[in-house]
Amino acid sequence: MEDEIDRIFYRAKQGKILFANHGALSPEYIPEKLPFRDQQTTVIAEVLAPVLHGSRPSNLLLYGKTGTGKTAVTRYVLSKLLSGGESKVVVAYVNTRLANTEYRTLAEFAQAVGVRVPFTGLSTGEVTSRIFKEIQLRGNLVILVLDEIDYLVKTFGDEVLYEFTRSNERLLPGLLSLVGISNDLKFKEGLDPRVLSSLSEEEMVFPPYTVEELKEILGERAQTAFKPGVASQAAINLCAAMAGSEHGDARRAIDLLRIAGEVAEREGLKEIDDMCIKKASDKMEHDRVEEAIRSLPVQTKAVLLATSKFKEGTNTGELYLAYTTLCRRTGIEVLTQRRVSGILAELDLLGLIEASVVSKGRRGRTKRIQLLIGEQILGKIMSEDTALAAAA
DNA sequence: CATCCACAGGAAGGACGGGGGT
DNA sequence: ACCCCCGTCCTTCCTGTGGATG
């Protein structure tokens, strides 16, 4: 045991053994060049360029699945744009899913243009008009990037976008251009046609990376990130294949490589082998699940816990009964079946359970519900929750 | 082949706790 | 002090429905 601790500390003192530049595999890292994205880079640059001589760039809509380089390319182009030192140009970048609400999206936008707003209390309209006032006052040339814009529209509607797209007369001498980034290729469907036509003055699609392309991307990153000989071609190929088999997700592939490197380092290996990658992949999945559960509200956890009582899966009625019992035992308030039904839908969306509607003819329609996660993880997290510890 | 079960899931609204402007 | 806004969870009321069964 002591030996183990000594070894850990010793290695820590040695500093990074395998990594030369850990940051090169972090999600925020913007590489020198982005392979296989020349066309997209050029187009975006061309669309945005007019801002440098004070005219309004067309609004731009970027499509593509996760990890296809949309955000990276956009950031890359914007950083180049700003490096010119054009002081009137302001770039605001907001990831609407991370911002999580319409208000916080606006608040982040406000902060980027230099308006201070309280983190709650104002109406969204008030925040918008303060932002506009500020832009007009300073005559700023603003490029607003709305990452995961499909989330914004899906959850809060497109009214904000409508206001943005038709704000330009009010902003003179300032201006506002939108860059929307969407993971969802069908997101245009639900959009107000006026917003759509304005928002997609220009469009650009990001195709998924092929496994071959992922190999090259990983290879380049690995060269900067690791010391020589740490990440073999075989290791890189495996990472690319494991992460990219579904839809060419570069972010996943890079995460996987990074974590595999950390595993190798922790285990005192000199290079990344297949086992490291396998372990890294498991760890990523495990972390995702654990974090998802931990941040759940009590009632949602309770429903999840009730689900875990049925090894063979169950249906809504049966589950609701089990849930009710569980609540009584733990002293948690019992919610209506309607609400529990809603919670089940949320859990399904999170991929923690599988719930699909089935019809049993005259014996009604219900949901077939099945737990998708290991009970050990569940038990561990539930026992952390004071309200539920007894039931875990 | 109409019926009817056991729910699904939409709509509207409300309690509550965060916090405003004036 | 007063009235306001927002987000989060929740309830109430409701209409809709796939397909085994009688």
Side-chain angles (χ1 to χ4, degrees), chain A residues 190-244:
Chain A
L191 222 50
D192 183 326
R194 289 171 303 182
V195 175
L196 180 60
S197 69
S198 160
L199 188 62
S200 58
E201 288 168 334
E202 301 282 346
E203 281 187 28
M204 179 87 249
V205 175
F206 284 66
Y209 293 107
T210 64
V211 173
E212 286 308 312
E213 290 171 339
L214 284 180
K215 284 180 193 170
E216 197 166 325
I217 294 169
L218 282 184
E220 269 177 40
R221 292 287 187 100
Q223 258 180 29
T224 354
F226 294 111
K227 294 185 176 164
V230 172
S232 66
Q233 190 59 47
I236 285 167
N237 291 353
L238 183 59
C239 280
M242 281 181 69

Side-chain angles (χ1 to χ4, degrees), chain A residues 358-366:
Chain A
V358 290
S359 178
K360 293 196 252 168
R362 186 154 268 192
R363 287 162 55 210
R365 300 179 83 197
T366 184

Side-chain angles (χ1 to χ4, degrees), chain A residues 121-132:
Chain A
L122 300 181
S123 69
T124 50
E126 174 63 21
V127 179
T128 315
S129 80
R130 287 191 195 184
I131 292 171
F132 288 170

Side-chain angles (χ1 to χ4, degrees), chain A residues 59 61 63 149-150 152-154 156-166 178 186-201 203:
Chain A
N59 292 330
L61 201 49
Y63 284 106
I149 193 173
D150 45 328
L152 178 76
V153 172
K154 213 178 305 167
F156 311 110
D158 52 14
E159 271 175 51
V160 205
L161 293 183
Y162 184 64
E163 272 200 66
F164 285 166
T165 53
R166 61 198 306 275
L178 296 175
K186 293 179 303 181
F187 122 95
K188 291 203 287 189
E189 286 170 12
L191 222 50
D192 183 326
R194 289 171 303 182
V195 175
L196 180 60
S197 69
S198 160
L199 188 62
S200 58
E201 288 168 334
E203 281 187 28

Side-chain angles (χ1 to χ4, degrees), chain A residues 16-142:
Chain A
K16 298 289 181 188
I17 298 164
L18 303 183
F19 286 96
N21 175 9
H22 193 275
L25 293 175
S26 87
E28 296 86 40
Y29 181 78
I30 304 175
E32 290 296 311
K33 61 183 176 64
L34 293 153
F36 313 110
R37 287 295 176 256
D38 293 343
Q39 191 204 340
Q40 285 80 0
T41 311
T42 314
V43 170
I44 296 175
E46 277 169 0
V47 171
L48 297 182
V51 80
L52 293 176
H53 58 257
S55 20
R56 195 186 76 84
S58 296
N59 292 330
L60 176 60
L61 201 49
L62 306 177
Y63 284 106
K65 298 194 175 166
T66 46
T68 50
K70 304 179 297 296
T71 308
V73 170
T74 309
R75 288 202 147 141
Y76 175 76
V77 174
L78 289 174
S79 71
K80 291 273 183 197
L81 188 75
L82 289 176
S83 68
E86 184 54 60
S87 64
K88 289 276 184 194
V89 178
V90 174
V91 169
Y93 171 90
V94 184
N95 181 314
T96 66
R97 191 176 50 79
L98 294 183
N100 201 24
T101 68
E102 187 179 14
Y103 185 87
R104 286 206 276 278
T105 300
L106 285 170
E108 281 185 37
F109 181 21
Q111 199 178 11
V113 298
V115 181
R116 295 199 50 175
V117 290
F119 65 88
T120 177
L122 300 181
S123 69
T124 50
E126 174 63 21
V127 179
T128 315
S129 80
R130 287 191 195 184
I131 292 171
F132 288 170
K133 210 174 285 175
E134 185 72 10
I135 295 174
Q136 186 196 19
L137 197 71
R138 300 200 197 180
N140 278 335
L141 317 174
V142 182

Side-chain angles (χ1 to χ4, degrees), chain A residues 305 330 382-392:
Chain A
L305 197 52
T330 51
M382 292 304 169
S383 49
E384 290 170 10
D385 193 304
T386 45
L388 286 167

